[in-house]
């Protein structure tokens, strides 16, 4: 159970190396208790994150997601996280939605399941935002939940609320760089268009997180756009 808790905690910030470490901790939990259903379900989720954040082989990772989720349900068919893992595994959106709906029915107070289920609804509907707000009420310190709530407001062009939640996330979770990247993106994009400031903020963030390739990519992108604008003006 200690290995299970450690693995669970290592998934929180979506840090690539921590996700890979979480996989090992959860494997350890299963090795110590071969009938630990929740550990199989969590391991399925961990492999899903390993694919998306840590560059884990997609084919092998998806096999691990499916196999561990299936075995978790074989041991306990009331595990919401196992159905959530299947929701991530299915490429067919209807199947994914059914699996995530079942996950939500089984664990309506699991903030991350609410967050994942919210993605199954069109942005034109209010259901996705309602689920994210409920997830936030359940776990207001979850970096991934707060970031998704901010992103939802940004998508709806409610930039003031998006900025508020991104900044709140940075304050409460300084090691979660994704919200900082999102704020920089907002600074550079519409309606702000402040490329110079976005470049400076990207550089500052990169000096604190030199292993984050997305920040390095931002520096290059903003620098290129600044030079393109200056070049266009010079020949106008």
């Amino acid at each position: 159970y200690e290995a299970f808790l450690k693995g669970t905690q290592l998934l929180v910030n979506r840090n690539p190396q921590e996700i890979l470490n979480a996989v090992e901790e959860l494997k350890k939990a299963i090795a110590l208790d071969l009938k630990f259903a929740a550990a199989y379900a969590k391991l399925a989720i961990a492999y899903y994150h390993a694919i998306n954040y840590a560059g884990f082989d997609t084919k092998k990772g998806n096999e691990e997601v499916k196999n561990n989720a299936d075995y978790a349900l074989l041991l306990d068919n009331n595990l919401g996280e196992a159905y959530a893992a299947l929701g991530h595994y299915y490429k067919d959106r209807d199947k994914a939605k059914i699996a995530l709906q079942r996950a939500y029915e089984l664990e309506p107070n699991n903030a991350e399941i609410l967050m994942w289920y919210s993605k199954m609804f069109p942005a034109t509907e209010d259901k996705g935002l309602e689920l994210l707000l409920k997830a936030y009420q359940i776990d207001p310190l979850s970096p991934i939940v707060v970031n998704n709530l901010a992103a939802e407001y940004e998508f709806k062009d409610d930039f003031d609320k998006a900025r508020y939640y991104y900044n709140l996330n940075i304050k409460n979770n300084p090691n979660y760089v994704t919200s900082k990247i999102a704020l920089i993106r907002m600074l550079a994009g519409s309606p702000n268009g402040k490329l110079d400031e976005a470049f400076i903020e990207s550089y500052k963030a990169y000096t604190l997180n030199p292993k984050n390739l997305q920040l390095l990519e931002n520096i290059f992108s903003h620098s290129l756009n600044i030079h393109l604008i200056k070049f266009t003006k010079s020949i106008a």
Side-chain angles (χ1 to χ4, degrees), residues 178-189:
T178 305
S179 286
K180 183 66 176 177
I181 293 171
L183 268 180
I184 293 169
R185 184 189 64 244
M186 282 182 60
L187 194 62

Side-chain angles (χ1 to χ4, degrees), residues 75-213:
L75 293 169
D76 182 353
N77 64 3
N78 290 312
L79 281 173
E81 280 203 329
Y83 283 104
L86 290 177
H88 297 316
Y89 170 79
Y90 291 132
K91 301 300 179 281
D92 182 278
R93 189 171 179 83
D94 290 336
K95 285 185 177 180
K97 186 174 182 179
I98 290 170
L100 285 164
Q101 182 178 355
R102 181 59 178 154
Y104 171 61
E105 290 168 353
L106 289 168
E107 296 187 39
N109 293 315
N110 184 314
E112 290 203 359
I113 285 177
L114 268 69
M115 177 189 72
W116 294 323
Y117 186 40
S118 75
K119 297 178 185 298
M120 294 293 103
F121 297 90
T124 51
E125 295 182 12
D126 292 330
K127 182 65 175 179
L129 180 57
E130 288 175 10
L131 288 165
L132 283 169
L133 286 169
K134 184 179 177 183
Y136 175 69
Q137 290 172 353
I138 292 168
D139 192 355
L141 296 179
S142 168
I144 189 69
V145 168
V146 179
N147 192 76
N148 273 266
L149 178 58
E152 182 73 10
Y153 279 121
E154 182 184 354
F155 190 82
K156 292 180 180 298
D157 293 337
D158 193 337
F159 298 112
D160 288 339
K161 284 186 179 178
R163 192 175 295 108
Y164 169 79
Y165 284 109
Y166 281 136
N167 278 316
L168 181 66
N169 212 17
I170 291 168
K171 178 183 176 182
N172 291 336
N173 304 288
N175 293 325
Y176 186 75
V177 186
T178 305
S179 286
K180 183 66 176 177
I181 293 171
L183 268 180
I184 293 169
R185 184 189 64 244
M186 282 182 60
L187 194 62
S190 177
N192 298 305
K194 298 178 180 179
L195 288 172
D196 290 348
E197 290 184 38
F199 174 81
I200 292 169
E201 290 301 318
S202 291
Y203 182 77
K204 286 180 181 177
Y206 179 69
T207 58
L208 297 173
N209 303 275
K211 292 184 179 180
N212 190 300
L213 296 181

